[in-house]
């Protein structure tokens, strides 16, 4: 609940926020004539505060770690910035409540936030903890912006003055060269409350040569989520300055964006070794990275990746294969997007596997033949077709080596190159073989057991699939525990339950 004392207009001291009169003087002046009775500024301050408090609460969301700001609203409707832009009266009332300003949003695009406004936002939040977002409007990530770097630099200078109050810091910009340098801008800073640090860019356009600091330090003992571009990661997390070793509470790590502007790439094994030395990382994401070598010069037996979830995007085949080979225990979930999988020399071992946006020339069976997981998701995958279904249902007359033998759940999104009839045949054959087990029953507890030869398919969900006949639909509904089939192709990209939060 917002404290009533914060509604006292005497608490406001920002000279650029409102005229010399107090808020209540402004209010009473609007009541002077009947002509102004319908003017929006004539609303009683108590009513305005009630409305703004409702908007504040509706902008928040509950998570497993408590209440926080939502991150999925467009900039144009973001609280408190949208109502603050209506008039000086509204902005003055909003400035009285520090809780309203604990999400500091700074634009660095064509409508960049002015430095004086940034300073106001930090001031109005008083001494409360902050969530800071330095971003572009989602419609302004195309074209060329030569001013972005200087805009981000100005915002970063204001940010670091208040970094001790920050709970989360998110950069979402166009160029890697615009991102701040952790080695430089955060050196010798302390952020005792920082839990999330994300440095995201759309394009790797290079960057300035890193500084050489022998005793670099950035104290963030409570950091749990770290998202870095590759250059910042190698500056502070590899070799002498492996910052990851000091982040004992770090849960999730993302490294992204390194293109071969020159022929030289980054070292895959230095990257994997640094990750392996982290005491607590469970969730790993590697996106759009170019490596200089994909085979070690010597045998590497000391790199072990013990993960709960893994997300790999836009990686070459050799790199994908090497990373899979270093995963020691089976992650609960693995997501693979736009990677070359045909060269993979290892089988996936995750409980849940999701493939996104794979081209028709990829062979899903390369990493899946000996897969023993339960849940398989296929999203926008042209390589999912009838041959894959035949592999799932044909163990041969005297062969019990079924592909994907433990799979029980199939999620298929925007895939059109398969036959519903063959899918039905596959489900039926696996079901018949599974029924031969002595403990087969129809109850849920039994279906959760491990089947020695092949597991029955118990769930199928199709979004954006081929036409399904009424007869086949009825058969699926009668023979599966859970079934859904929608033939309409989805416009938005499918997001699974384990996906990362959405940035503005």
């Amino acid at each position: 609940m917002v404290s009533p004392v914060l509604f006292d207009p005497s608490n406001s001291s920002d000279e650029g926020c409102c005229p010399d009169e107090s808020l209540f003087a402004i209010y009473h002046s609007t009541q002077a004539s009947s002509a102004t009775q319908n003017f929006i500024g004539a609303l009683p301050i108590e009513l305005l505060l009630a409305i703004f408090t409702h908007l504040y609460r509706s902008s928040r969301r509950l998570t497993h770690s408590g209440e926080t700001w939502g991150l999925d609203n467009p900039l144009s409707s973001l609280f408190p910035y949208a109502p603050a832009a209506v008039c000086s009266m509204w902005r003055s009332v909003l400035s009285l409540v520090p809780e309203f300003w604990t999400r500091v949003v700074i634009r660095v695009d064509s409508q960049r936030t002015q430095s004086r406004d940034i300073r106001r936002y930090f001031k109005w939040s008083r001494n409360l903890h902050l969530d800071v977002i330095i971003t572009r409007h989602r419609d302004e990530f195309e074209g060329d912006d030569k001013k972005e770097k200087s805009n981000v630099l100005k915002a970063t200078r204001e940010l670091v003055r208040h970094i001790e109050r920050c709970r989360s810091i998110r950069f979402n910009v166009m160029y890697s060269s615009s991102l701040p340098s952790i080695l430089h801008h955060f050196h010798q800073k302390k952020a005792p409350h920082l839990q999330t640090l994300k440095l995201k860019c759309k394009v790797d356009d290079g960057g300035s040569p890193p500084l050489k600091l022998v005793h670099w330090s950035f104290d963030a003992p409570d950091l749990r989520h770290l998202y870095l571009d590759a250059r910042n990661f190698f500056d502070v997390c590899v070799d002498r300055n492996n910052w990851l070793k000091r982040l004992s509470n770090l849960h999730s790590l993302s490294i992204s964006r390194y293109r071969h502007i020159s022929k030289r790439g980054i070292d895959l094994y230095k990257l994997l070794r640094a990750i392996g030395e982290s005491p607590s990382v469970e969730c790993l994401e590697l996106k759009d990275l170019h490596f200089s070598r994909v085979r070690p010069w010597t045998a590497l037996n000391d790199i072990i990746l013990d993960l709960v979830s893994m997300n790999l995007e836009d990686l070459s085949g050799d790199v994908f294969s090497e990373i899979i080979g270093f995963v020691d225990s089976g992650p609960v979930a693995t997501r693979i997007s736009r990677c070359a999988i045909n060269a993979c020399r290892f089988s996936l071992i995750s409980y849940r596997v999701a493939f996104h946006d794979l081209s028709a020339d990829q062979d899903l069976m390369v990493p899946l033949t000996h897969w023993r997981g339960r849940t398989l998701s296929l999203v926008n995958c042209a390589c999912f077709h009838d041959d894959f279904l035949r592999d799932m249902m044909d163990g041969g007359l005297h062969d019990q080596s079924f592909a994907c033998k433990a799979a029980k759940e199939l999620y298929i999104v925007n895939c059109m190159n398969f036959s519903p009839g063959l899918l039905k045949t596959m489900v039926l054959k696996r079901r018949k073989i599974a029924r031969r087990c002595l403990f087969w029953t129809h109850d849920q507890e039994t279906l959760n057991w491990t089947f020695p030869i092949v597991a029955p398919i118990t769930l199928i969900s199709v979004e954006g699939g081929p036409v399904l006949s009424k007869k086949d639909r009825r058969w699926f509904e009668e023979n599966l525990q859970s079934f859904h089939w929608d033939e309409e192709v989805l416009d938005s990209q499918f997001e699974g339950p384990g996906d990362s939060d959405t940035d503005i």
Side-chain angles (χ1 to χ4, degrees), residues 239-443:
D239 298 332
R240 182 189 307 151
N241 284 327
N242 192 352
W243 189 37
L244 300 183
K245 291 181 180 180
R246 290 172 263 165
L247 301 177
S248 58
N249 292 313
L250 190 64
H251 172 71
S252 59
L253 171 67
S254 175
I255 309 164
S256 66
R257 298 289 185 258
Y258 192 95
R259 291 286 87 196
H260 53 288
I261 298 174
S262 64
K263 293 182 178 180
R264 186 178 179 182
I266 55 180
D267 192 308
L268 172 63
Y269 303 100
K270 283 187 176 182
L271 180 143
L272 295 180
R273 190 185 303 279
I275 297 170
E277 291 175 348
S278 169
S280 57
V281 166
E282 295 182 341
C283 303
L284 175 65
E285 180 178 68
L286 301 176
K287 301 171 60 175
D288 189 27
L289 299 170
H290 170 67
F291 295 92
S292 58
R293 60 187 177 106
V294 292
R295 290 288 184 274
W297 293 314
T298 59
L300 296 175
N301 298 320
D302 59 340
I303 297 178
I304 296 176
L305 303 181
D306 189 3
L307 303 170
V308 173
S309 69
M310 181 169 57
N311 182 25
L312 306 176
E313 297 185 18
D314 299 299
L315 301 178
S316 68
D318 288 341
V319 169
F320 173 78
S321 180
E322 289 292 296
I323 293 171
I324 296 299
F326 282 112
V327 177
D328 184 54
S329 60
V332 174
T334 296
R335 173 169 167 168
I336 299 161
S337 304
R338 299 175 299 280
C339 292
I341 63 176
N342 289 348
C344 188
R345 298 177 287 116
F346 307 96
S347 182
L348 293 171
I349 54 178
S350 295
Y351 185 76
R352 300 194 302 268
V353 172
F355 291 97
H356 286 238
D357 305 309
L358 295 190
S359 58
D361 61 345
Q362 299 300 305
D363 186 354
L364 288 167
M365 273 302 162
V366 172
L368 287 180
T369 298
H370 303 294
W371 173 60
R372 295 293 183 266
R374 175 189 178 103
T375 304
L376 177 62
S377 299
L378 301 146
V379 183
N380 298 322
C381 289
C383 55
F384 175 65
H385 44 60
D386 287 350
D387 287 344
F388 181 82
L389 295 176
R390 293 188 184 97
D391 288 335
M392 284 191 68
M393 73 177 178
D394 187 8
L397 294 176
H398 306 287
D399 184 4
Q400 296 183 355
S401 300
F402 278 80
C404 310
K405 62 172 290 185
K408 296 181 181 180
E409 300 177 350
L410 293 178
Y411 293 87
I412 305 168
V413 181
N414 290 352
C415 298
M416 302 292 294
N417 300 330
F418 71 97
S419 305
L422 194 59
L423 178 63
K424 172 183 172 182
T425 302
M426 182 272 290
V427 171
L428 181 60
K429 181 169 183 178
R430 290 172 68 108
R431 180 182 175 88
K432 286 181 178 179
I433 295 175
R435 286 174 67 98
R436 297 174 188 172
C437 297
L438 296 177
F439 54 81
W440 168 273
T441 66
H442 290 286
D443 61 72

